[in-house]
Amino acid sequence: MTNPEQQPDSLQPDMQAPVDAAPEAAADAPVDVATLQARIAELQDQYLRAQADVQNARRRADEEVQKARKFGIESFAESMLPVIDSLEAGLAVPNATADQIREGTEATLRQLLSALERNKVVVVNPAQGDKFDPNQHQAISVVPAPEGVQLPPNSIHTVLQKGYLIAERVLRPALVMVTPS
């Protein structure tokens, strides 16, 4: 250990504080304490108000999310109502011919596809020879290209079931058969 007398002046404690400074600080202390207590009370009030604002914002956000979940399908349901009306009208015809039933069914299908498109549901129906995309297609089997048809490797041979995207996210992949790689 070193002797305190050998320490440089910057490391030695200040032993020569003025004695008269203590009474002055004591006289100013009550004023400073009152000011500080008022400031503390003000900051506590601001803190409590900020906490209440945060809780209110969180509550409002939760309510909005619940409303979005509850009524988010409202637009979709409204676009399905004309399709239901068309189906009911078709079923109400007592002695419809096969041609009338087919014509009504095709019109109703067009109405349904239009309603799906308005709600950002898009059909995925690749053509024969299109490149297989694992993000939108699900390969059921690998089959050679039909005789006389040149298909590139790893391309669509046959679509077994159409797929659907909703807002560019796969709702259901298209089920396809592909040519070998």
Side-chain angles (χ1 to χ4, degrees), residues 8-71:
D9 290 336
S10 63
L11 296 178
Q12 289 184 1
D14 189 11
M15 301 287 225
Q16 301 188 4
V19 177
D20 295 335
E24 280 180 29
D28 291 342
V31 175
D32 289 339
V33 169
T35 305
L36 291 174
Q37 285 177 338
R39 181 70 177 143
I40 288 171
E42 179 185 333
L43 290 173
Q44 285 176 333
D45 183 56
Q46 287 177 358
Y47 172 76
L48 291 175
R49 289 177 189 273
Q51 285 295 102
D53 286 345
V54 167
Q55 287 175 353
N56 288 339
R58 191 173 289 145
R59 180 186 48 77
R60 282 191 300 272
D62 287 345
E63 287 172 1
E64 288 297 318
V65 168
Q66 287 174 354
K67 284 180 185 176
R69 285 183 182 148
K70 188 175 182 180
F71 299 111

